[in-house]
Amino acid sequence: MTTEDRQLKLGAFIMATGHHIAAWRHPDSDADAGHSIDHYRGLAETAERGKFDLVFVADSPAGWDGDKDAETRSRVSHSAHFEPVTLWSALSQVTERIGFVATASTTYEDPYLLARKFASLDHISKGRAAWNVVTTGADVSKNFSIAGHPAHANRYERAEEVVDLVLDLWDSYEDDALIRDKASGIFLDPDKVHKVNHHGKFFDVAGPLNVARSPQGRPVVVQAGASEPGRELAARTAEVIFTANQTLEDAQEFYSDIKGRLAKFGRRPEQLLIMPGIFAVLGGTEKEAQENYEFIQSLVHPTIAWSILKQYYVGVDLSGYSLDDKAPPLPTNTELNKSRLKLVSDLAARGLSLRELYLSLATARGHRTVVGTPEQVADAIGEWFHGGAADGFNIMPPVLPTGLTDFVDQVVPVLQRRGWFRTEYEGATLRENLGLARPVNRFVERAAAQSQRSA
């Protein structure tokens, strides 16, 4: 594929009321969005109208604010929300082409059940499912009857095993294993159903899965880690990466590094798409866009401002600081999300005050923020897309539903006029629209390799 032939990939990254920490207070938001199926249905339909490749919701296997004080908990809106596979199963029935990415934790979920629910979602959606692989940085162990939150290195060691096991389970039925011949009475070809017989450090699973191979072959695998083990896992197994980068140079380094790792795993650059997050604040003019940005920032309560900072300054006493003081260095001896901590540390190292730092994080937790007209936002997208930094973008609307509607109605037409983005979907499945090949069944592939070695 030539550079001129490349088309942007776009995802709608949905946080119920919007990505800004104070979005729920904005006049344009639906404060009850987290539990409104009608709200999510409208967002999915809007994204599909805009020809987006996918919609994605962030998720955690437990409450996000359990360790916050009562005053902070009373002012955040992320405490309760839908489980994503359940949500996407419903919304797949009122859409036709948009893909659905759901998060599931390799640290806190059982791989057999995980494989089963995502294979089911792929069947239910007719080939539009994707799994966002996360190791879960937050300690939610008290909800899962395990002895504490595993260390970062152990979480990634477990993730490696989980992903390989899930991929095998998804392929435990060959494409033509289910014959369903009424005349002969033969329903299944047992020779085309495979036990995985997995015996690993963390799991013993016999298999096979009790869900047939899905319409895409298997759901698309998405990953978001940018630490060293996260990059290795992504280069080996992921097909899409959601990433956070602040500068073109950082994004180019990440893009080049990940793409450069693929060859050692027998993969080609086009088999892995990199989609940074972008938080776009729109206005008809630069002045209007800046006013919109300043207004939503004004909605951040001081309690929330300090809460944002304390999330990263773990173990650091900030009581002697004011928001106008220069941000001190962040701690490094933490088992939190390593890649996000580095991103925030890099922000603080620019000489920001604590106020400037929390305002940078209040928008999209460190993802790139662009404030401007639709043409200026399109320019910012094009700079990274054509500059070796991205294959597409995960759009992070500040406020929902208006932020997504405005992007679809104002920015997407600019991208289409410039020839960078589709005007119609290429196919019916998520893989087809992303330009990803249908994967060969792993058991068939192994048998062919064994036969070739024996010849």
Side-chain angles (χ1 to χ4, degrees):
M1 179 179 288
T2 66
T3 301
E4 290 73 20
D5 290 333
R6 290 176 73 223
Q7 291 280 291
L8 276 164
K9 306 305 176 186
L10 291 181
F13 184 176
I14 295 170
M15 297 278 278
T17 56
H19 276 271
H20 194 278
I21 191 70
W24 73 273
R25 300 183 65 196
H26 196 282
D28 290 344
S29 75
D30 295 332
D32 67 344
H35 290 125
S36 171
I37 187 64
D38 293 333
H39 170 78
Y40 283 102
R41 174 177 178 167
L43 295 176
E45 290 173 339
T46 297
E48 187 165 73
R49 177 169 63 82
K51 311 302 180 186
F52 274 53
D53 293 87
L54 55 91
V55 287
F56 164 58
V57 288
D59 189 59
S60 172
W64 289 355
D65 56 3
D67 293 331
K68 292 183 173 66
D69 59 77
E71 169 68 9
T72 302
R73 287 202 305 274
S74 73
R75 295 183 179 277
V76 295
S77 64
H78 295 158
S79 57
H81 48 276
F82 289 129
E83 189 282 317
V85 173
T86 309
L87 175 65
W88 293 150
S89 294
L91 295 185
S92 69
Q93 303 307 293
V94 295
T95 55
E96 294 181 353
R97 300 296 182 90
I98 194 85
F100 296 101
V101 184
T103 297
S105 173
T106 58
T107 302
Y108 290 101
E109 297 207 37
D110 180 273
Y112 188 92
L113 296 177
L114 190 156
R116 187 176 186 232
K117 70 180 180 180
F118 275 93
S120 296
L121 177 60
D122 207 43
H123 280 285
I124 291 167
S125 65
K126 298 180 180 179
R128 293 183 284 145
W131 170 30
N132 179 40
V133 180
V134 300
T135 61
T136 306
D139 183 355
V140 297
S141 59
K142 294 181 178 63
N143 294 295
F144 292 90
S145 304
I146 66 173
H149 190 53
H152 184 270
N154 291 339
R155 295 200 304 272
Y156 270 95
E157 185 181 13
R158 176 182 164 115
E160 293 274 357
E161 185 174 336
V162 171
V163 172
D164 281 331
L165 177 50
V166 167
L167 292 174
D168 273 356
L169 286 166
W170 281 339
D171 280 355
S172 53
Y173 283 72
E174 294 182 29
D175 287 315
D176 55 352
L178 296 175
I179 298 170
R180 303 186 182 99
D181 181 20
K182 292 184 178 181
S184 67
I186 301 297
F187 187 86
L188 171 74
D189 182 348
D191 291 335
K192 295 188 176 183
V193 181
H194 305 275
K195 290 186 175 182
V196 299
N197 289 324
H198 176 89
H199 304 288
K201 179 176 179 178
F202 298 96
F203 303 100
D204 284 287
V205 178
L209 197 63
N210 59 351
V211 182
R213 199 165 196 245
S214 65
Q216 296 185 98
R218 55 178 177 259
V220 174
V221 175
V222 181
Q223 211 255 349
S227 64
E228 178 57 29
R231 294 184 186 210
E232 277 293 285
L233 178 63
R236 189 171 69 82
T237 64
E239 296 165 291
V240 177
I241 296 181
F242 294 155
T243 182
N245 298 109
Q246 280 283 334
T247 68
L248 174 62
E249 293 73 23
D250 286 346
Q252 288 170 328
E253 182 280 325
F254 182 83
Y255 189 94
S256 176
D257 178 69
I258 294 293
K259 298 279 187 174
R261 295 175 188 237
L262 296 176
K264 68 181 179 182
F265 298 113
R267 306 182 68 195
R268 301 183 305 278
E270 65 269 21
Q271 292 178 299
L272 177 56
L273 303 171
I274 297 176
M275 299 174 63
I278 183 169
F279 178 96
V281 182
L282 291 167
T285 64
E286 284 187 61
K287 182 175 182 293
E288 182 182 322
Q290 188 62 36
E291 289 171 350
N292 291 339
Y293 174 78
E294 290 172 0
F295 174 70
I296 195 169
Q297 291 286 43
S298 74
L299 299 177
V300 181
H301 190 275
T303 298
I304 299 302
W306 286 109
S307 173
I308 292 170
L309 295 169
K310 290 175 182 176
Q311 179 181 346
Y312 297 99
Y313 283 99
V314 177
V316 177
D317 183 6
L318 295 176
S319 61
Y321 289 87
S322 77
L323 290 174
D324 293 316
D325 288 334
K326 181 179 177 180
L330 274 77
T332 57
N333 57 337
T334 174
E335 286 298 328
L336 298 175
N337 185 316
K338 299 288 188 181
S339 55
R340 187 56 50 85
L341 182 63
K342 181 184 184 303
L343 189 151
V344 178
S345 296
D346 289 346
L347 277 173
R350 296 180 190 175
L352 301 184
S353 68
L354 285 171
R355 185 185 307 278
E356 291 169 328
L357 182 58
Y358 93 70
L359 286 172
S360 296
L361 298 172
T363 54
R365 303 168 305 285
H367 287 268
R368 182 188 183 197
T369 296
V370 178
V371 180
T373 65
E375 290 76 12
Q376 288 171 327
V377 171
D379 289 343
I381 286 172
E383 180 186 24
W384 284 29
F385 178 59
H386 297 297
D391 296 307
F393 294 87
N394 227 6
I395 306 305
M396 306 169 68
V399 178
L400 288 169
T402 54
L404 182 59
T405 302
D406 289 347
F407 191 95
V408 166
D409 291 342
Q410 298 175 32
V411 181
V412 167
V414 178
L415 300 174
Q416 291 171 330
R417 285 196 300 270
R418 295 181 182 183
W420 300 347
F421 187 60
R422 68 167 66 90
T423 55
E424 293 296 337
Y425 284 104
E426 294 83 5
T429 71
L430 178 56
R431 285 186 179 279
E432 289 171 330
N433 291 322
L434 289 173
L436 297 171
R438 194 176 195 275
V440 176
N441 184 290
R442 287 158 69 96
F443 290 94
V444 172
E445 192 172 45
R446 289 168 190 159
Q450 178 63 39
S451 176
Q452 191 173 41
R453 286 193 297 267
S454 301

